[in-house]
Amino acid sequence: MEGQGKVMREYKKWKTQMGILAVTVAVICVAAAGISRRKEKQKEEDTLKVGISIYQSDDTYVNLLTKKIERQLKACEKQQGIKIHCKIVSAENDQNEQNEQVEHFAALAYDVICVNAVDRTNVSTMIDRVEESEIPLIFFNRQPVQDDLRKGQHIYYVGSDAQESGRLQGELVASVYRKDPAVLDKNGDGVVGYAVLEGETGHQDAIIRSEWSVKTMTSSGVPAKRITGGVANWMKEQAAAIVGRWLKEEEGELELILCNNDDMALGAIETLRQEGRTDISVVGIDGTEEGLMAVRDGKMLGTVKADSDIYAEYIARMVCGLKKEGTVPKEILEGHDREVWIPWEIKICPELGE
């Protein structure tokens, strides 16, 4: 019996020790879980979440720009010692889809949302949603109307002046004509027959670029006559098809195609080369990598470049400034309160000189 009692005492002692151990383990686990949660929270606080919604995925210039924004944000990671999570989505030209994308970013408490708007005149839903969440919103490349930009405290726009791009495109043509009229007036009749490839029906930039390109070209002394025109929705393939129809239905002497962007210019060039036409010059706007290469190779007469590196750098600096200081660096705004303007520059094929 004494042996059994000793065993029972030892068992009770062991059971007590195990109970203490279990409590200790439980306390340690709870503490560890708390530390883990605090670390996760700290990690989340140190992570800058940036949501970017673009109007469609097959716009060459916008894709180039967003890739460069990503690279610039990576550089900010090292400079500011924070983790940056960047999510890029495409609305595929559907404004309702873009509204939902912005809603999703806001619901996930993203720190800054950047939008390349599908419809620049229909951004109120997005603005109202981010204002509710007090999330800064940066529009880029497609400028909302001024009333919308003034709706909230932290709504910005980054872009290039459409009027300046059209004006410089017209100056580009005029400078070539002054240097050697025969480059444009191939048939020597004293008049340059031109066509305009517009980016999008009713789009502000397309309207302004077209208007100011022609206005500047003619006011700078180029005798010109409009032969035809068309809308190619900024797309290379559509431009190629339209130019193909022009060549078949040509009325008058077409000698110059003014394009609202480089993608359409490249589409026009592709068709002209396939048809063996070397008597028609093409100019673009944007300064995409492929467009600049075409200019260097003499396939495109010239383009007007908005430096995408500067563009991306400014957007990244705005994003990081809004996260760190709660405001955009004043040197970027250059006296403007909500808008950042990226300058344009003329690029002419080397044979004709800058």
Side-chain angles (χ1 to χ4, degrees):
M1 292 294 293
E2 184 179 348
Q4 289 179 347
K6 184 176 181 181
V7 170
M8 288 300 295
R9 287 194 296 275
E10 290 296 326
Y11 172 74
K12 289 180 180 179
K13 181 178 178 182
W14 173 81
K15 189 174 181 181
T16 300
Q17 290 174 340
M18 290 302 294
I20 294 172
L21 179 60
V23 171
T24 302
V25 169
V27 169
I28 291 172
C29 287
V30 169
I35 293 170
S36 177
R37 282 195 297 271
R38 285 196 296 274
K39 285 184 176 180
E40 280 297 318
K41 185 177 180 181
Q42 182 66 39
K43 182 180 178 182
E44 186 174 332
E45 289 174 352
D46 289 342
T47 298
L48 169 56
K49 294 190 292 184
V50 184
I52 300 178
S53 172
I54 61 174
Y55 85 106
Q56 66 181 18
S57 59
D58 49 6
D59 185 303
T60 301
Y61 186 76
V62 172
N63 276 326
L64 172 68
L65 183 56
T66 50
K67 288 176 182 176
K68 290 187 175 183
I69 292 171
E70 279 190 290
R71 287 202 290 268
Q72 289 289 345
L73 289 172
K74 287 294 181 183
C76 286
E77 276 190 322
K78 296 179 181 179
Q79 294 168 1
Q80 298 195 14
I82 59 173
K83 177 68 177 175
I84 298 178
H85 169 72
C86 180
K87 177 70 173 179
I88 299 173
V89 294
S90 171
E92 298 305 332
N93 225 18
D94 183 335
Q95 187 59 63
N96 290 329
E97 175 65 21
Q98 190 164 65
N99 292 343
E100 291 178 6
Q101 290 170 349
V102 171
E103 167 70 32
H104 182 68
F105 287 144
L108 293 177
Y110 272 61
D111 296 289
V112 182
I113 300 172
C114 302
V115 175
N116 169 232
V118 172
D119 182 352
R120 57 175 290 276
T121 66
N122 187 20
V123 298
S124 294
T125 300
M126 293 184 285
I127 290 174
D128 291 343
R129 180 62 182 90
V130 298
E131 279 298 297
E132 287 174 9
S133 305
E134 298 184 345
I135 300 172
L137 178 59
I138 301 174
F139 288 100
F140 66 97
N141 187 251
R142 292 179 156 218
Q143 184 184 12
V145 297
Q146 287 297 315
D147 287 348
D148 284 330
L149 284 176
R150 296 292 180 270
K151 277 188 173 181
Q153 293 297 311
H154 297 294
I155 303 172
Y156 303 91
Y157 174 68
V158 184
S160 294
D161 190 323
Q163 181 176 314
E164 184 184 6
S165 68
R167 182 178 59 79
L168 290 179
Q169 188 181 60
E171 287 184 6
L172 186 162
V173 173
S175 68
V176 171
Y177 186 82
R178 284 193 297 268
K179 186 171 184 179
D180 185 358
V183 172
L184 296 172
D185 183 14
K186 295 291 188 181
N187 63 7
D189 66 354
V191 178
V192 177
Y194 74 91
V196 179
L197 272 174
E198 296 185 34
E200 190 175 329
T201 302
H203 191 283
Q204 182 192 34
D205 283 8
I207 294 169
I208 293 174
R209 288 179 181 185
S210 300
E211 177 187 351
W212 279 89
S213 178
V214 173
K215 182 186 293 186
T216 304
M217 174 181 70
T218 54
S219 65
S220 299
V222 179
K225 177 184 177 182
R226 181 183 174 91
I227 303 300
T228 187
V231 175
N233 295 301
W234 312 107
M235 306 301 295
K236 182 177 180 180
E237 295 78 11
Q238 291 187 35
I242 288 172
V243 173
R245 290 199 299 272
W246 288 351
L247 297 181
K248 292 176 182 177
E249 304 165 358
E250 190 173 339
E251 297 178 6
E253 295 292 336
L254 180 60
E255 296 165 308
L256 171 67
I257 303 176
L258 303 168
C259 303
N260 282 175
N261 77 341
D262 282 353
D263 269 7
M264 293 189 297
L266 292 166
I269 290 168
E270 184 177 295
T271 294
L272 292 172
R273 289 174 67 84
Q274 288 174 355
E275 297 296 324
R277 298 291 295 269
T278 60
D279 57 330
I280 300 175
S281 299
V282 179
V283 291
I285 292 176
D286 273 348
T288 63
E289 292 176 353
E290 191 177 356
L292 291 171
M293 185 179 298
V295 172
R296 289 192 296 269
D297 293 344
K299 297 175 183 177
M300 190 189 301
L301 188 68
T303 188
V304 183
K305 176 186 176 184
D307 196 317
S308 55
D309 288 318
I310 297 175
Y311 215 134
E313 178 193 344
Y314 278 16
I315 291 175
R317 287 176 63 190
M318 290 172 73
V319 166
C320 294
L322 286 165
K323 169 68 174 178
K324 188 176 180 181
E325 307 293 340
T327 186
V328 171
K330 291 182 179 179
E331 63 272 18
I332 292 178
L333 291 171
E334 295 181 341
H336 299 280
D337 60 343
R338 300 292 183 88
E339 297 155 327
V340 177
W341 297 101
I342 310 302
W344 296 95
E345 59 178 319
I346 291 173
K347 294 292 183 181
I348 299 179
C349 70
E351 292 180 4
L352 300 172
E354 290 288 345

